[in-house]
Amino acid sequence: MISFKLDNKLALVTGCSRGIGMAIAIEMAEAGADIIGVSNSMPAAGSNVAKAVEATGRKFYPYAADFSKRESLYAFINQVKADHPTIDILINNAGHIMRKPAAEHPDEYWDAIIDINLNAQFILTREIGKRMIEQKSGKIVFTCSLLSFQGGINVPGYAASKGAIASVLKSFANEWASYGVTVNGIAPGYIATDNTQQLRDDPERSAAILSRIPANRWGKPEDLTGAYVFLSSSASDYINGTILTVDGGWMGR
């Protein structure tokens, strides 16, 4: 099991103040990694995720950035690269969802989702990935979605962004594999987080979703974390350009 350890690694986890991102940061710390955490509302000290990471004996470096604003994104990138010349792992988890039927889906919804879920992910990966190419090693994992494969309902911007992420991670993987950099994705199923609260509160939609999940339950953020550790560890060195579904069996139905 030694190949699953992340001892002496530094992992940048985006969108880690709560939900899936927070669970990933804690699990990676438990596997031995120090964590750089960034989110739109990350406090300078004392956050729940910082306390949980530090309780494992690992270090937590907090940053705040608004990925919907290009200036804020680049300011974060420049600062984190200056503070941490070597970043071993990048977890592209930050994301947002806005629900409205396609015929009523306004430009501002579309633009915001594409900026956060796609444009920012591409730019961050490109800029952090340059250093990984130079150091001839690195692990990059994107949080994809079941809507990387399907269209969903009332979320055309989100579906478009996650479909594009499924393709762009393969582009990175194709170009960077020979430099020792692996790029993969994880597609969570229906996980009980803030993003799915509206669905879980709708009895009809919740029942329809559960009826298709062979596991017959909503997932928990902790159901995903082992997969992120795996794809961030040396155990996955020959896995590249792949999207792993962690969905309770949804895609096999």
Side-chain angles (χ1 to χ4, degrees):
M1 296 295 291
I2 193 71
S3 61
F4 287 86
K5 291 190 176 296
L6 304 178
D7 293 342
N8 303 313
K9 301 297 184 181
L10 180 60
L12 167 53
V13 183
T14 71
C16 72
S17 62
R18 64 183 189 274
I20 292 171
M22 181 173 175
I24 295 167
I26 295 168
E27 185 80 3
M28 298 189 81
E30 290 177 344
D34 292 326
I35 306 297
I36 300 167
V38 59
S39 72
N40 190 31
S41 57
M42 182 69 70
S47 67
N48 289 335
V49 64
K51 292 175 183 176
V53 166
E54 289 165 355
T56 71
R58 308 312 307 174
K59 296 177 182 176
F60 185 82
Y61 304 100
Y63 293 82
D66 183 348
F67 281 13
S68 70
K69 295 180 170 57
R70 199 67 59 92
E71 181 179 347
S72 178
L73 173 64
Y74 273 107
F76 163 68
I77 290 170
N78 293 335
Q79 188 63 57
V80 80
K81 289 176 73 174
D83 294 344
H84 306 282
T86 300
I87 295 173
D88 304 291
I89 301 162
L90 170 61
I91 306 296
N92 279 313
N93 175 71
H96 191 46
I97 191 166
M98 302 175 81
R99 302 179 187 277
K100 196 171 279 288
E104 304 166 17
H105 209 75
D107 290 355
E108 55 267 28
Y109 276 30
W110 178 273
D111 291 343
I113 295 303
I114 295 299
D115 276 340
I116 295 168
N117 293 6
L118 179 58
N119 295 341
Q121 311 299 329
F122 172 77
I123 293 167
L124 182 60
T125 302
R126 182 190 66 201
E127 296 304 311
I128 299 300
K130 290 177 183 178
R131 288 273 181 88
M132 292 180 172
I133 290 171
E134 292 171 1
Q135 66 201 33
K136 297 292 194 293
S137 67
K139 296 282 185 175
I140 300 173
V141 185
F142 286 84
T143 295
C144 298
S145 169
L146 295 181
L147 300 194
S148 295
F149 313 105
Q150 301 173 327
I153 298 171
N154 297 332
V155 288
Y158 185 83
S161 70
K162 292 300 185 177
I165 285 295
S167 291
V168 79
L169 75 83
K170 295 172 187 176
S171 295
F172 282 123
N174 290 342
E175 295 189 29
W176 293 356
S178 62
Y179 297 99
V181 179
T182 66
V183 187
N184 293 290
I186 292 172
Y190 284 88
I191 308 298
T193 66
D194 291 350
N195 275 355
T196 60
Q197 188 67 57
Q198 187 175 343
L199 295 177
R200 288 182 287 126
D201 289 343
D202 182 332
E204 185 176 338
R205 287 283 285 129
S206 183
I209 288 165
L210 285 173
S211 70
R212 178 170 166 164
I213 301 173
N216 196 35
R217 68 174 175 87
W218 288 80
K220 305 184 299 292
E222 293 76 19
D223 289 323
L224 301 164
T225 54
Y228 283 91
V229 170
F230 168 58
L231 290 178
S232 300
S233 73
S234 61
S236 63
D237 281 351
Y238 203 58
I239 298 174
N240 213 6
T242 290
I243 301 172
L244 173 62
T245 56
V246 184
D247 62 357
W250 175 281
M251 288 299 292
R253 191 65 176 257

